[in-house]
Every structure is written in C-alpha cells, then in structure tokens.
Amino acid sequence: MDRNPSPPPPGRDKEEEEEVAGGDCIGSTVYSKHWLFGVLSGLIQIVSPENTKSSSDDEEQLTELDEEMENEICRVWDMSMDEDVALFLQEFNAPDIFMGVLAKSKCPRLREICVSISSDKNLGQVLLHCLYDSDPPTLLETSRLLLTCLSQAEVASVWVERIQEHPAIYDSICFIMSSSTNVDLLVKVGEVVDKLFDLDEKLMLEWVRNGAAQPLDQPQEESEEQPVFRLVPCILEAAKQVRSENPEWLDVYMHILQLLTTVDDGIQAIVHCPDTGKDIWNLLFDLVCHEFCQSDDPPIILQEQKTVLASVFSVLSAIYASQTEQEYLKIEKVDLPLIDSLIRVLQNMEQCQKKPENSAESNTEETKRTDLTQDDFHLKILKDILCEFLSNIFQALTKETVAQGVKEGQLSKQKCSSAFQNLLPFYSPVVEDFIKILREVDKALADDLEKNFPSLKVQT
C-alpha cells in the first residue's frame, strides 16, 4: 500500500501527559510546580553549608549572581504577584528559603530580589496572616521572616504600612506576649515589636492607645466579647516569662519599655495602668538591685550588660521623675538601694576604662579591649542615664535618709566620691545641696569630701 499509515488514535500516553501537565500547574495558573521547585532547590543550594564554606578564591563568585539563575529568580518574582503562586510559595516554605538567602548570601543582587519577592503584596498578605496561627513553630518562623523584612531599609516602610492596615496583628502579638510560655517565640516577637516601634513612632502610639479607650482606672465590664488587650501589661507578662528562663534575654523587652518612655502617652501607660506600673517598677528595681552587675560580679560584666542596664535604668528614671503620686514611689526605702546600684555600676565603669598598669606589650588583647571601652558609645549613654537618675534621687533625699545611708554604707566616703566624680561639674547644684544635708548628719565626712573636691568648698 502506497498511502502513509494513519496516525495512531489518542491513547493513554497523551491522556496521561495532559493529566500530568494539569497536575503540574499551580492553582488555576499555567505556571509549573516542577519548574518552581527547581528554582527554589537552586536557591537552597546557594546557601547550603557546603557552599557557604567556600575558600577565599570563590569569594568573588559568591558576590556575583549567575545570569541564568538571576533570570529564573526574577521570573519567580513576577510569578509571586499572582495570588495562587503566593499561596503555593507559602505552602512550600519559600519564605524560609528567602530568609536563609538574606541571612547567608553575600550577593547584593540575590538579596535584593529575595527581599522584593518576600515583600510582594500577595505573599506579604499570606505571611501576615500566619501571625494569626496558634502553632508556635509557625509563629516563630513567621516572626523571624517578618523581622528580616523589617530590617531591610529598602522595604521596611512597606511592611510597617501593611501591619498598620491589619489591626488584628496587634491583638495577635499581644496574645502571644501575654500567654505564651515559649521563650524563643517571646524573644523573637519582642524583637519584631522593638523594630516596629523604632521604625515608626506613630504605630507605637497607636498600639499604646489601643485598649485604652475606656478610663484606665475603671475595670472592663464583663462581656462575652474578646478581651481588650493593653500593650504594657502584655509586655510585662512576656518579660516575666523570659526572665524566668534567662534574664540575659530581657534586653529586647527592656528596650521596648525604654522606647515607650520617649513619648508622654507611653509613660502614662506605664505609670497609671492599674497594678502594672507597680509591677514594672518592682521587676526593674529587682533586676538592678539583685540581678545585674552585682558586687560579686567582675567589673567587665558591664560590657555584657550595658545595653540592658541602660534600658532598665532609663525606664526607672522616667517613672521616678514622672509627676505621679503612686504609692510605690513614696516608699523611701527605694532610694538607698537605687543609690547603691547606681554607684556600683559607675564604679565598674571606671574599672573598665582603666588602662592596665605595668603592661610591657601595648597590643595585648586586654589593652585592645580597654581602648575600645574608652570610646564605647553605649557606655557613654549608660553613664548619662545613671548620672541623671542619681541626681534626681539626690534631690529627693531627706536628712533621715542620708543619715541611714551613712550608717549602712550606701553613702560612704568612697561611694560619695565616686558619685561626685561622675556628677560634677554638670550637676554641681545637686551635689552642693547634698553636701549641706550631709554636713548636718556627719560634718567630718562632709569636710573630707570637700577636701577631695575643692570646687564645692568655695560654693558651700
């Protein structure tokens, strides 16, 4: 027969191909799951431990992105604008992959693309909705990715705006802080809140005012509605939980409280919130008097605790200086322990800043560390906070309290000298008034201090 054979009828092979093709599509799109898996697997390879341990010869390659890989990742960027693709990326834990790239990659272009994909509106909406989840591992990973996005200057404002558009995120975060016992999650959520407040004061004020529509001194009426969360009590609960496991992880929550004290509404929310103001004062008071930088600690411990101490003392100072008539601030017993703690930290600071004596080699590790300490910006901030707080306490001291302090040792000659050395000359009037009271209690001690600080003798 001369004719060509007829084409075979459509069989199973073609039908199976069509089914496979349909099963390979992402949602209702024509995008291929298989292709996307390949690109994401390539990303994983880029940041895998084997590749990140490259030699210095490969350093240049690590900062450059292969043209083919760049084109493929840019296609993912375009695809992520589709809602189905965004959902699929979330299900495949793609945000974790992008976060790994941001954390480990040294390639600027690759980091830029991954940040942009993570910031896509659809994927962003999916990510934010994960904050409503009740699963701690999901919340932890979501918080990590959100913090990474907020830390990228080029997209941080976009994420702040999205969070402002989702008021329910406030409730979710407050619920986590007030009820979770997962310290890793609490620390990471705290870092997110701290970053948000640092980026946008307006958002911080909105959150401070949330739940405070009714007067703070009136209890919420019983109802079957969802509880109204107030930010400060939730922060306090989280801080207590974190402290119970490791006080050193308190840094982030202490800094959140410090940020709140930079605005009047924040101070009022701390001081006037029923019971919470007292509880915060007691927590912070206990930290500086019995936890951080104690007399049996080496002076160098200050280098590890300087940032958390700056935050704690700053909040205590703000509460102490606020024009409030709270009972817990009327108790004179708080003055002498605080003076003792403040002076102890100042003394440790002096020790840290001393250069080692009889050192033959100036380039030793200890000398280098000391030289760095002398110019430490954080220590300077801490010193300014300590001196302002100490001057406020000195101004409130009564003759009876000074007499008790001299008797018990909080106002010994050595400690007063340390205080004067740091307070003068900026707080001269405060020191002069203190010397006048001290002279009535212990004239000999007052005279000795005047000899060591001649400028006071002329003015008293």
Side-chain angles (χ1 to χ4, degrees), residues 345-360:
V345 177
L346 287 169
Q347 288 175 329
N348 282 352
M349 193 177 297
E350 292 170 9
Q351 290 296 320
C352 288
Q353 292 176 330
K354 283 183 179 179
K355 290 186 177 181
E357 297 179 0
N358 302 322
S359 176

Side-chain angles (χ1 to χ4, degrees), residues 319-331:
I319 298 175
Y320 190 91
S322 64
Q323 299 300 315
T324 179
E325 297 182 358
Q326 301 296 323
E327 290 296 326
Y328 56 88
L329 292 180
K330 291 182 179 179
I331 303 174

Side-chain angles (χ1 to χ4, degrees), residues 214 219-228:
Q214 59 184 19
Q220 181 183 348
E221 295 182 2
E222 295 183 1
S223 68
E224 296 182 357
E225 297 179 0
Q226 292 296 319
V228 177

Side-chain angles (χ1 to χ4, degrees), residues 232 235-236 239-240 243 250 253-258 261 270 276-292 294 308-320 328 334 337-338 341 344 389:
V232 175
I235 292 172
L236 174 62
K240 287 179 178 178
R243 185 195 182 188
L250 275 172
Y253 281 98
M254 297 302 101
H255 190 253
I256 292 172
L257 289 174
Q258 184 181 9
T261 63
I270 293 173
T276 303
K278 180 179 179 180
D279 288 343
I280 288 178
W281 174 270
N282 290 339
L283 172 64
L284 272 56
F285 182 85
D286 192 52
L287 287 173
V288 297
C289 292
H290 304 111
E291 193 82 57
F292 294 131
Q294 296 303 293
V308 67
L309 281 170
S311 295
V312 172
F313 277 119
S314 179
V315 177
L316 283 171
S317 180
I319 298 175
Y320 190 91
Y328 56 88
V334 305
L338 282 174
S341 296
R344 182 169 60 248
F389 193 10

Side-chain angles (χ1 to χ4, degrees), residues 189-417:
V189 167
E191 290 175 352
V192 170
V193 173
D194 185 49
K195 190 65 178 179
L196 280 171
F197 288 1
D198 196 39
L199 287 170
D200 196 286
E201 184 178 297
K202 181 181 177 183
L203 181 139
M204 180 174 71
L205 286 169
E206 289 176 359
W207 283 23
V208 167
R209 293 163 183 163
N210 273 352
Q214 59 184 19
L216 289 175
D217 58 349
Q218 293 182 9
Q220 181 183 348
E221 295 182 2
E222 295 183 1
S223 68
E224 296 182 357
E225 297 179 0
Q226 292 296 319
V228 177
F229 290 108
R230 292 187 184 133
L231 180 66
V232 175
C234 295
I235 292 172
L236 174 62
E237 286 304 313
K240 287 179 178 178
Q241 184 64 41
V242 171
R243 185 195 182 188
S244 68
E245 187 156 329
N246 191 337
E248 295 180 1
W249 295 344
L250 275 172
D251 202 339
V252 63
Y253 281 98
M254 297 302 101
H255 190 253
I256 292 172
L257 289 174
Q258 184 181 9
L259 287 174
L260 292 181
T261 63
T262 62
V263 294
D264 186 61
D265 282 3
I267 295 176
Q268 297 306 313
I270 293 173
V271 173
H272 292 295
C273 195
D275 297 327
T276 303
K278 180 179 179 180
D279 288 343
I280 288 178
W281 174 270
N282 290 339
L283 172 64
L284 272 56
F285 182 85
D286 192 52
L287 287 173
V288 297
C289 292
H290 304 111
E291 193 82 57
F292 294 131
C293 201
Q294 296 303 293
S295 56
D296 56 347
D297 290 330
I300 197 66
I301 195 73
L302 189 61
Q303 284 289 2
E304 298 177 10
Q305 299 176 353
K306 58 194 173 187
T307 55
V308 67
L309 281 170
S311 295
V312 172
F313 277 119
S314 179
V315 177
L316 283 171
S317 180
I319 298 175
Y320 190 91
S322 64
Q323 299 300 315
T324 179
E325 297 182 358
Q326 301 296 323
E327 290 296 326
Y328 56 88
L329 292 180
K330 291 182 179 179
I331 303 174
E332 293 185 355
K333 291 181 180 179
V334 305
D335 288 337
L336 293 176
L338 282 174
I339 288 175
D340 197 46
S341 296
L342 287 162
I343 293 177
R344 182 169 60 248
V345 177
L346 287 169
Q347 288 175 329
N348 282 352
M349 193 177 297
E350 292 170 9
Q351 290 296 320
C352 288
Q353 292 176 330
K354 283 183 179 179
K355 290 186 177 181
E357 297 179 0
N358 302 322
S359 176
E361 298 182 9
S362 60
N363 289 327
T364 64
E365 182 179 349
E366 183 179 0
T367 303
K368 289 179 180 179
R369 184 170 62 247
T370 304
D371 289 340
L372 288 173
T373 302
Q374 290 175 335
D375 298 324
D376 194 311
F377 178 67
H378 291 288
L379 281 181
K380 183 180 184 304
I381 292 175
L382 176 58
K383 181 179 179 180
D384 291 343
I385 292 170
L386 295 173
C387 289
E388 182 179 357
F389 193 10
L390 188 59
S391 71
N392 287 336
I393 296 177
F394 267 29
Q395 292 180 72
L397 291 177
T398 63
K399 181 179 177 181
E400 292 72 22
T401 306
V402 171
Q404 183 183 350
V406 172
K407 181 180 178 181
E408 297 178 355
Q410 294 97 339
L411 293 173
S412 65
K413 179 180 177 181
Q414 181 186 16
K415 291 183 178 180
C416 285
S417 296

